[in-house]
Amino acid sequence: MCVYAGIVRVTFMAKKNQSSNMTQSAAIASASELGMRYGEQVLLDGATLAIHEGERIGLVGRNGCGKSTFLKIVAGELKPDSGKLAHRKDLIIGYLHQTFELDESATVMENVLSGAKHITDLIEEYENLDAESNKSGDLLDKITHLDGWSLEQRAESLLNHLHAPAAENQVATLSGGEKRRVALCRALLARPDFLILDEPTNHLDTEAIEWLEVFLSRYKGACLFVTHDRYFLDRIATRMVELFRGEFISYQGNYTDYLLSRAERMATEELQEHKRQRFLKKELDWVRRAPKARGSKAKSRIDAYFEVADKDAPEQDLDVDLIIPPAPRLANKIIELRDVGMGFDGRRLFDHLDLDLEEGQRIGIVGRNGLGKSTLIKIMLGELQADRGTVEIGKRTQINYVDQNRLALDDSKSVWEDVGEGSEHVRLGEETISLRSYLKRFLFTDDRINTKIELLSGGERSRVLLAKILKRGGNVIVLDEPTNDLDLGTLRMLEEALTTYKGCVIAVSHDRYFLNRVCNGILAFEGDGVVKYNVGNYDYYLEKREERGQGEKASVAAGATESKQKKAQQPARKLKWAEEKELEGMEDVILAAEEEAGAMENSFAAADFYEKHKDDWKELEDDLAVKKKNIVELYARWEELASLKSAYEG
């Protein structure tokens, strides 16, 4: 039975997309009337959804509402308390778990290849068959259909584009962010029919995120993903599904379409509720004035009143009321860097870096992983000593640092105990509020306030950390990847709080939306030790970088033109005897080189190439690349000699 994606509580879709459901492709997976709860918390309550071929569904909702739980259920890792889940027969699923596990004793490449075990098992079976086996033809067809002979090349390509560690590295030596990139490569490798991704952009730099966007936009399978990256949702999603109060609400289109349609739906619900309240008020006046109902008409009217009165008002989706304590007054000198440089293991991360932090400045630090962003933060905080230059911190500067690993939470304590740290009140500048009121602003209800930390979802833990950290105050807030694990509503509130904050903000982030909305300056690590500072947000930095790149290209082109002109001004010379002989035989040499390279390319196209050359295919590929480069150089040499001869004879 195929259960079509619907809206359980209220059906509302963008008008321009209302007809799109009429031509939906077949469902590859469907969830019907799912129910799931943890203790008193209800996560899924009659949730129904179908996922169709080729769809890219962005799943959104509050942290702790059950998004990751639903992904586990769809991936087959968790059974719901009630309801049914159906998959298409032989459906191949790739899953990036939020709390993934890797084989610590294996290499990066071995872990990535484990994501295509169904293919590597076929290859192993094929290689162990007798040469005369009738099964070999079927296995070869399956492996070829799955593009199995190119698994290692695809794995290397993924590792390269997602800026993951080297293939031969041991996983046990990697950082948390590096392991996550390896896990993402593993999920993408097999090109599964159904890809499930839980926060795929976490710990990816902007370049890798942009590559992943292109990859998924061309991906032919279905994809269900949870992410806080709003640009990613806008560019990838073809349908948005909101998990709200245990039920699914579906919206056709991307994240922008979802915001518009959701606002329209909520306005409609608000209008309906206003009409309901007006009807109840009018009917209540009548009930109070009317004599005891004797006739059927009066009784029917009273019954209608109570029927409407028994209906619940639409539930409101509350936002976090993020509080950052007022910033203490800053001195003229806040943080100053003069000619700062740092290197590790013979590699220079950056040099000659100057920076003066000013009041109201909100700097976004961007760049690929491993270029030195977190190192710079530690130097600014005095946790690391730069190997050149000076760092000065003003006497009134109070730094509140939210690091990449965050503060440690005590799983044995409740939210109340861990955030309160023995106090029942929170000091916010000149104001003091109760701890309970403070936690309610972070969307912790009375029952969740007393819940143990170990029982919270990943998103709820992030809210606890924010509540714990931000109450410390300070006038310089330093954030390292602040958007990881926060839901979209909390992110909006964090951004609004930071933009109105009177102190300074320094944020290391790959979230382009966050950088555009919050930052008024960008410090960009561009590689090879180059660090550039631009006033303005991230989009403005990209615009200026493009202009800078065009200018550099123009300079190179001008230099090349000048070089040609100088050569043209030099007197023509006669070819030497050896050059004459070289030119005479050049055509034959090029023809032979092209025939040799062509023969190698034909051998690569053979169906059994990787079977025959399983031990040396990489060396052969490198050899072909060298031959092609040699042909280009031969043509250049031929043109050079012919030009010299023509110039002399002319």
Side-chain angles (χ1 to χ4, degrees):
M1 177 180 174
C2 181
V3 183
Y4 288 93
I7 300 168
V8 178
R9 183 161 39 77
V10 57
T11 302
F12 199 92
M13 297 184 184
K15 291 180 181 178
K16 66 178 180 179
N17 290 311
Q18 282 178 345
S19 62
S20 63
N21 281 353
M22 303 300 291
T23 57
Q24 276 184 335
S25 55
I28 61 166
S30 60
S32 177
E33 296 294 324
L34 295 185
M36 192 75 183
R37 66 167 59 224
Y38 286 115
E40 297 299 316
Q41 188 182 17
V42 177
L43 297 179
L44 301 174
D45 186 14
T48 297
L49 182 72
I51 296 144
H52 299 265
E53 290 179 346
E55 277 196 305
R56 297 189 295 275
I57 299 174
L59 180 62
V60 295
R62 280 280 174 217
N63 279 339
C65 71
K67 301 187 297 296
S68 293
T69 298
F70 177 66
L71 295 190
K72 289 178 189 175
I73 291 171
V74 177
E77 291 197 356
L78 190 65
K79 288 188 177 181
D81 297 333
S82 60
K84 293 182 180 179
L85 179 73
H87 285 151
R88 191 183 70 193
K89 187 179 179 182
D90 299 326
L91 185 72
I92 298 173
I93 296 176
Y95 180 31
L96 174 65
H97 199 294
Q98 197 174 45
T99 54
F100 58 89
E101 291 184 0
L102 297 174
D103 184 351
E104 298 280 327
S105 64
T107 65
V108 167
M109 179 59 79
E110 288 167 343
N111 272 279
V112 173
L113 290 176
S114 69
K117 191 174 184 303
H118 62 291
I119 300 177
T120 55
D121 285 348
L122 289 174
I123 293 173
E124 184 178 355
E125 185 180 356
Y126 175 78
E127 290 175 342
N128 291 328
L129 279 178
D130 293 331
E132 304 300 322
S133 174
N134 295 327
K135 197 176 179 181
S136 61
D138 290 337
L139 284 174
L140 185 59
D141 288 342
K142 287 181 181 178
I143 295 167
T144 304
H145 175 70
L146 295 169
D147 197 14
W149 300 118
S150 65
L151 266 185
E152 288 199 14
Q153 299 100 300
R154 279 156 47 193
E156 287 175 356
S157 175
L158 286 168
L159 291 170
N160 179 51
H161 284 109
L162 294 174
H163 303 150
E168 65 275 8
N169 285 7
Q170 287 290 320
V171 165
T173 65
L174 306 181
S175 67
E178 289 173 326
K179 288 178 181 177
R180 186 163 187 84
R181 294 196 290 278
V182 173
L184 177 57
C185 292
R186 180 178 65 181
L188 299 177
L189 178 64
R191 299 173 186 166
D193 306 315
F194 184 24
L195 195 54
I196 303 171
L197 303 174
D198 199 346
E199 296 291 359
T201 62
N202 275 7
H203 301 289
L204 291 186
D205 54 56
T206 50
E207 188 178 323
I209 291 171
E210 288 166 1
W211 179 87
L212 183 60
E213 287 173 351
V214 173
F215 178 91
L216 290 178
S217 65
R218 297 172 179 172
Y219 180 67
K220 294 180 180 178
C223 183
L224 173 66
F225 60 96
V226 173
T227 181
H228 62 266
D229 190 317
R230 287 148 289 186
Y231 283 164
F232 190 87
L233 284 167
D234 242 357
R235 292 167 182 171
I236 299 303
T238 58
R239 177 157 66 113
M240 297 294 299
V241 173
E242 182 180 10
L243 180 52
F244 184 65
R245 308 296 189 192
E247 300 172 341
F248 291 122
I249 307 174
S250 185
Y251 302 82
Q252 291 299 319
N254 63 9
Y255 182 65
T256 299
D257 296 326
Y258 154 72
L259 290 178
L260 295 171
S261 299
R262 184 175 182 271
E264 193 175 339
R265 173 181 68 82
M266 293 176 72
T268 301
E269 287 183 349
E270 189 176 334
L271 179 61
Q272 290 172 345
E273 176 59 15
H274 177 71
K275 289 180 179 178
R276 187 177 80 94
Q277 293 297 336
R278 193 170 58 184
F279 167 81
L280 290 174
K281 183 179 179 181
K282 185 180 74 172
E283 292 301 287
L284 182 60
D285 289 341
W286 177 84
V287 169
R288 285 171 173 169
R289 292 195 314 269
K292 191 174 181 179
R294 294 176 182 173
S296 59
K297 187 173 182 180
K299 186 176 184 301
S300 174
R301 186 171 177 179
I302 292 172
D303 289 343
Y305 164 78
F306 283 109
E307 183 180 346
V308 174
D310 286 341
K311 291 181 179 179
D312 294 328
E315 294 181 276
Q316 297 298 310
D317 190 11
L318 301 175
D319 276 326
V320 172
D321 187 9
L322 255 171
I323 306 171
I324 300 178
R329 187 179 173 187
L330 285 158
N332 290 332
K333 181 184 290 184
I334 303 172
I335 298 177
E336 289 185 0
L337 278 65
R338 290 287 178 268
D339 198 33
V340 171
M342 190 67 178
F344 284 111
D345 300 326
R347 182 170 71 96
R348 300 304 297 172
L349 295 177
F350 48 87
D351 272 310
H352 309 297
L353 180 59
D354 294 316
L355 184 68
D356 285 338
L357 194 61
E358 298 176 359
E359 188 172 354
Q361 205 167 8
R362 298 186 298 275
I363 297 177
I365 302 180
V366 303
R368 289 202 316 271
N369 294 311
L371 294 182
K373 303 186 301 296
S374 294
T375 299
L376 176 61
I377 291 292
K378 290 177 181 177
I379 290 172
M380 294 170 73
L381 297 175
E383 295 180 8
L384 269 181
Q385 180 69 42
D387 56 24
R388 66 173 297 163
T390 60
V391 178
E392 294 186 31
I393 298 176
K395 292 180 180 179
R396 292 181 183 170
T397 301
Q398 299 174 24
I399 299 174
N400 189 348
Y401 177 39
V402 186
D403 73 353
Q404 216 167 17
N405 300 316
R406 313 286 168 90
L407 292 176
L409 294 177
D410 189 339
D411 285 347
S412 66
K413 291 183 178 179
S414 67
V415 175
W416 171 276
E417 292 168 334
D418 209 16
V419 176
E421 298 175 304
S423 175
E424 295 186 3
H425 296 88
V426 176
R427 184 78 175 172
L428 302 174
E430 300 299 319
E431 183 186 359
T432 300
I433 65 172
S434 71
L435 178 61
R436 189 172 299 276
S437 297
Y438 179 72
L439 288 172
K440 282 186 175 180
R441 296 192 182 196
F442 287 84
L443 298 186
F444 287 103
T445 56
D446 287 335
D447 59 319
R448 299 305 281 174
I449 283 173
N450 294 311
T451 300
K452 296 287 186 185
I453 298 291
E454 63 182 354
L455 299 177
L456 300 180
S457 70
E460 287 175 312
R461 291 175 70 94
S462 292
R463 291 210 304 273
V464 172
L465 285 163
L466 276 177
K468 189 173 181 178
I469 292 163
L470 292 180
K471 76 183 181 73
R472 299 186 312 197
N475 48 25
V476 176
I477 295 178
V478 180
L479 305 159
D480 200 348
E481 296 293 356
T483 61
N484 284 355
D485 303 320
L486 293 180
D487 60 56
L488 298 173
T490 305
L491 265 178
R492 283 198 306 274
M493 294 301 104
L494 175 61
E495 289 162 355
E496 287 180 13
L498 291 174
T499 53
T500 58
Y501 180 63
K502 300 302 182 185
C504 297
V505 177
I506 301 172
V508 177
S509 180
H510 300 306
D511 189 320
R512 297 155 292 178
Y513 195 100
F514 175 89
L515 292 165
N516 277 332
R517 192 172 180 202
V518 171
C519 298
N520 52 26
I522 298 294
L523 189 67
F525 284 69
E526 298 184 341
D528 298 323
V530 176
V531 182
K532 297 285 187 181
Y533 179 76
N534 265 99
V535 174
N537 64 12
Y538 184 67
D539 279 349
Y540 186 68
Y541 156 70
L542 292 179
E543 182 183 325
K544 302 309 287 185
R545 188 182 69 177
E546 178 68 21
E547 289 178 8
R548 189 159 29 94
Q550 293 297 334
E552 289 170 358
K553 287 179 183 177
S555 295
V556 171
T561 302
E562 185 180 349
S563 177
K564 285 182 179 179
Q565 288 172 347
K566 285 181 179 179
K567 285 184 178 180
Q569 291 169 2
Q570 293 175 357
R573 68 174 179 84
K574 185 179 180 180
L575 290 181
K576 298 175 183 178
W577 181 84
E579 289 174 333
E580 281 280 6
K581 292 298 180 184
E582 184 183 0
L583 180 60
E584 288 175 9
M586 188 64 77
E587 189 172 351
D588 291 336
V589 172
I590 291 175
L591 183 61
E594 287 181 332
E595 287 178 353
E596 189 177 356
M600 283 195 73
E601 285 184 325
N602 290 336
S603 70
F604 273 87
D608 60 349
F609 173 81
Y610 288 101
E611 178 191 355
K612 289 181 178 178
H613 299 280
K614 58 186 177 183
D615 295 325
D616 63 348
W617 63 267
K618 183 63 176 173
E619 289 79 1
L620 290 172
E621 279 193 344
D622 293 340
D623 189 25
L624 178 59
V626 170
K627 291 184 185 303
K628 287 183 174 180
K629 183 181 178 183
N630 183 48
I631 291 170
V632 173
E633 291 172 350
L634 286 171
Y635 270 109
R637 179 60 173 164
W638 189 16
E639 183 180 354
E640 179 188 2
L641 293 174
S643 297
L644 283 171
K645 183 175 181 179
S646 176
Y648 180 76
E649 292 177 350

